[in-house]
Amino acid sequence: MTTTIYLILTAVAGLVLGLIIMQIIQKKKSSSIIKKSEQQARRIIKKSHQESDRIKKEKMLQAKERFIELKLDHEKVINQREKKINEIENQVREKEKNLNKELQRNKDLNRSFEQKSSNLDQRIQKFDRKSQSLDEAEKKYQIKLEEISGLTAEEAKKELITSLEDKAKTDAMSFIQNSIEEAKLSAEQEAKKIIIGTIQRIGTEEAVENCVSVFNLESDDVKGRIIGREGRNIRAIEAATGVEIIVDDTPEAIILSCFDPVRREIARLSLHRLVTDGRIHPARIEEVVNKTSKQIENEIAEVGKRTVIDLGIHGLNPALIKIIGRMKYRSSYGQNLLQHSREVAKLCGVMASELGLNPKLAKRAGLLHDIGKVPEEESELPHAILGMQWAEKYGEKPDVCNAIGAHHDEVEMTSLLSPIIQVCDAISGARPGARRQVLDSYIQRLKDLEEIALDFNGVSKAYAIQAGRELRVIVESEKVSDNNAAELSFQISQKIQTDMTYPGQVKITVIRETRAVNVAK
């Protein structure tokens, strides 16, 4: 029993001792962990301080770099502004220089006028002196007459007055004639100076209009695809565009012949698309021609916009801009109408500036003076009157409208712009190589051929090809039968034979096509 108790006490004492030892060990471990934690915390704090210093340095460096970038951008903006300011200053100096020249010119003109005025005053004084001497001579003459002839003073006075009147009239007429001749001479010299200076300041190119275009091919194999089976493709292209396609032995090229540049351009672009795409058949041809026609309409509007922007003309009605674009595809006596109008506008601007008029208004009238030559439908009115009516319709100023209508003397000139437009139009058209009368008469003959065919019932389209030696007439199948087609061809030939004069022969070909179209849904 005692032994057991002893063992229990020993075990309890050992357990207590073990717990104490464990607690001591645990406390040592805790203290070591705390020390390690404190050391680790100090290392972390130190590392964080280092990291914060590094980040702070990086941020400061970035801030400096950003500051430098902003400074450079600011300096660039300032330099650009300074450059613009310098440009504006240069423009102001140039304008001031031109203004000084103009003022000097006005001063010279004033001095010239003053000199002429002084000369006129001197002549008047001379005339007065002559009058005084004539009065004295009259008195002496009167006394002598009274002494010699024994005439009364009244009779002598009448005779003297008659002789003096004749002498005064002669002197006055001589003086007036000299003054008029001198004024005419100076005015003619000044006008020549202005016109010559204007022509020298405007550089122009000579315009030559052709009636054919060459379409280049990659190989001669494409010619067969363009012609098609039994020629159906080439006939479809000619019917859709009104252009004659000449396929001959010329290597890798075919020729497009037509007097209308718009039709020729549509045919050229359509052929380019068809050859590039590779699908060439009648249905595809019609689709491509329609798309190309719309593209040409858009290009006409774009050409009009570029023209008015280049000339610095603002506020034009969109309809007038489109009319200006159409002038690119028209010619007058072989001279491209748009190029001619641009040239006239520049000449008018320079001449108006020389004469002290509004150059912008003169440019506007010069550009629009021939818009009556490009109507969408034929009109019996002269092109100047038609252009004036369009200008009035689309809100142009009365001076511009009068200048357009009066540049061929169809209406009376009521503005100073009108003679300027007339003169500049003559300058542009009269220079060597500008116009060719032969081309214009040739195109007019082709148009007359087409108009004769279009006057007959059932005719939808008419195209003059082969330089006017052949007229192809496309009729509506619902209105003209096969039997009537032959009769129509004969009637057109007789009409041409009686109403027109032309070299050689004209072949009339009437084309009638019947289509059956259904849609599968």
Side-chain angles (χ1 to χ4, degrees), residues 417-429:
L417 287 179
S418 301
I420 293 177
I421 303 302
Q422 190 177 51
V423 169
C424 293
D425 181 40
I427 291 172
S428 175

Side-chain angles (χ1 to χ4, degrees), residues 447-462:
K447 288 183 177 179
D448 292 340
L449 277 174
E450 293 181 352
E451 288 173 0
I452 286 175
L454 291 171
D455 288 338
F456 287 84
N457 292 329
V459 177
S460 61
K461 296 178 183 178

Side-chain angles (χ1 to χ4, degrees), residues 182-199:
E182 185 178 355
K184 285 183 178 179
L185 181 63
S186 60
E188 186 176 354
Q189 290 176 348
E190 191 66 23
K192 287 180 180 179
K193 179 181 177 182
I194 292 173
I195 292 173
I196 291 171
T198 301
I199 295 172

Side-chain angles (χ1 to χ4, degrees), residues 20-79:
I20 293 170
I21 292 171
M22 285 180 64
Q23 190 173 2
I24 293 169
I25 293 171
Q26 187 69 26
K27 192 177 289 185
K28 287 182 179 181
K29 283 184 178 181
S30 298
S31 60
S32 63
I33 289 171
I34 290 169
K35 288 180 181 179
K36 288 180 180 180
S37 298
E38 290 176 350
Q39 291 176 356
Q40 188 173 3
R42 283 194 294 272
R43 283 197 301 273
I44 290 171
I45 291 170
K46 184 178 180 181
K47 187 175 182 182
S48 64
H49 284 305
Q50 293 175 352
E51 186 68 20
S52 65
D53 293 338
R54 185 182 65 79
I55 292 171
K56 183 178 179 182
K57 290 179 180 178
E58 287 181 356
K59 292 297 182 182
M60 290 179 67
L61 184 61
Q62 290 177 0
K64 288 181 180 179
E65 291 177 352
R66 181 60 179 167
F67 175 74
I68 293 170
E69 289 178 359
L70 291 174
K71 185 178 179 182
L72 291 174
D73 292 339
H74 183 65
E75 290 177 353
K76 188 182 293 184
V77 171
I78 290 174
N79 290 333

Side-chain angles (χ1 to χ4, degrees), residues 7-246:
L7 289 172
I8 291 169
L9 292 173
T10 303
V12 171
L15 181 61
V16 172
L17 184 60
L19 289 171
I20 293 170
I21 292 171
M22 285 180 64
Q23 190 173 2
I24 293 169
I25 293 171
Q26 187 69 26
K27 192 177 289 185
K28 287 182 179 181
K29 283 184 178 181
S30 298
S31 60
S32 63
I33 289 171
I34 290 169
K35 288 180 181 179
K36 288 180 180 180
S37 298
E38 290 176 350
Q39 291 176 356
Q40 188 173 3
R42 283 194 294 272
R43 283 197 301 273
I44 290 171
I45 291 170
K46 184 178 180 181
K47 187 175 182 182
S48 64
H49 284 305
Q50 293 175 352
E51 186 68 20
S52 65
D53 293 338
R54 185 182 65 79
I55 292 171
K56 183 178 179 182
K57 290 179 180 178
E58 287 181 356
K59 292 297 182 182
M60 290 179 67
L61 184 61
Q62 290 177 0
K64 288 181 180 179
E65 291 177 352
R66 181 60 179 167
F67 175 74
I68 293 170
E69 289 178 359
L70 291 174
K71 185 178 179 182
L72 291 174
D73 292 339
H74 183 65
E75 290 177 353
K76 188 182 293 184
V77 171
I78 290 174
N79 290 333
Q80 290 177 352
R81 288 182 180 176
E82 289 180 351
K83 186 177 180 181
K84 288 182 179 178
I85 291 170
N86 291 332
E87 291 177 354
I88 293 171
E89 289 178 351
N90 292 332
Q91 291 177 359
V92 171
R93 290 194 194 99
E94 187 68 24
K95 289 182 179 179
E96 186 178 357
K97 185 178 178 182
N98 294 333
L99 184 60
N100 290 332
K101 289 182 179 178
E102 190 68 24
L103 290 173
Q104 185 63 35
R105 184 182 302 168
N106 291 333
K107 289 180 180 178
D108 295 339
L109 290 174
N110 289 332
R111 281 198 297 270
S112 176
F113 180 74
E114 289 174 357
Q115 290 176 357
K116 290 181 180 179
S117 299
S118 63
N119 293 333
L120 184 60
D121 292 337
Q122 291 175 2
R123 290 186 180 182
I124 292 172
Q125 292 175 1
K126 187 177 180 181
F127 181 74
D128 291 338
R129 287 195 297 270
K130 286 184 177 181
S131 297
Q132 292 176 0
S133 63
L134 285 173
D135 291 338
E136 294 175 357
E138 180 185 1
K139 292 178 181 178
K140 293 178 181 179
Y141 184 59
Q142 184 177 357
I143 295 170
K144 287 182 180 181
L145 280 176
E146 290 177 352
E147 291 177 353
I148 297 172
S149 63
L151 296 174
T152 62
E154 190 65 29
E155 291 174 350
K157 185 177 181 181
K158 288 182 180 179
E159 185 176 348
L160 184 60
I161 288 173
T162 303
S163 62
L164 288 176
E165 282 181 354
D166 295 337
K167 178 65 176 175
K169 286 180 180 178
T170 303
D171 291 343
M173 288 299 296
S174 176
F175 174 73
I176 292 171
Q177 189 66 29
N178 291 334
S179 300
I180 291 173
E181 291 296 329
E182 185 178 355
K184 285 183 178 179
L185 181 63
S186 60
E188 186 176 354
Q189 290 176 348
E190 191 66 23
K192 287 180 180 179
K193 179 181 177 182
I194 292 173
I195 292 173
I196 291 171
T198 301
I199 295 172
Q200 289 175 343
R201 290 170 62 182
I202 303 296
T204 58
E205 299 177 356
E206 295 184 2
V208 178
E209 290 293 318
N210 296 320
C211 289
V212 296
S213 296
V214 178
F215 183 76
N216 297 315
L217 303 172
E218 294 181 357
S219 65
D220 289 336
D221 298 337
V222 183
K223 291 183 179 180
R225 294 166 56 195
I226 292 174
I227 296 172
R229 184 181 299 175
E230 299 178 355
R232 64 174 187 173
N233 289 345
I234 195 170
R235 285 198 300 273
I237 296 172
E238 290 179 344
T241 60
V243 175
E244 181 188 7
I245 300 177
I246 302 172

